[in-house]
Amino acid sequence: MAETLDDAAITTHLKDLPDWAREGDEIRRELKAPSFLAGIDLVVEVARAAEKADHHPDIDVRWRTVTFALTTHSAGGLTGKDFDLARRIDQIAADHAAQ
């Protein structure tokens, strides 16, 4: 099981992920897709990446707005896995012109 990160490590990771914000024991990012279908395509690609990483975000879709929330439930907080997947989500979002 991955170990949870302390506040200093979380702050350091977030410096490299300026579009993500910490909310308690999770990090979140809200994105606007160019269209509803583009948002769904974004979700599908993130789901594939999450399956590959065996680490799954909470996902909320509201028309063109997609919100991702990451935490490592099994560890009870934030781990390196959350930040790795956040970076991957950022790459996928850029590929889908989501901001």
Side-chain angles (χ1 to χ4, degrees):
M1 173 176 24
E3 290 191 30
T4 56
L5 301 171
D6 63 21
D7 288 338
I10 291 166
T11 299
T12 298
H13 279 287
L14 285 173
K15 287 179 183 174
D16 295 330
L17 297 164
D19 296 317
W20 291 81
R22 183 179 184 184
E23 292 184 19
D25 285 336
E26 67 182 21
I27 55 173
R28 301 175 67 85
R29 181 172 182 196
E30 182 178 286
L31 291 153
K32 294 262 191 235
S35 67
F36 176 73
L37 287 177
I40 296 303
D41 289 342
L42 168 67
V43 168
V44 169
E45 192 167 341
V46 168
R48 291 184 195 287
E51 273 296 296
K52 185 175 180 181
D54 192 29
H55 192 60
H56 305 92
D58 292 334
I59 304 171
D60 182 66
V61 178
R62 309 286 170 130
W63 188 44
R64 296 181 323 139
T65 302
V66 182
T67 304
F68 295 98
L70 295 166
T71 191
T72 305
H73 298 287
S74 61
L78 290 163
T79 68
K81 292 177 111 182
D82 300 304
F83 294 96
D84 291 343
L85 187 54
R87 281 186 279 281
R88 183 68 185 115
I89 290 170
D90 283 353
Q91 293 169 344
I92 294 167
D95 292 345
H96 287 269
Q99 301 178 352

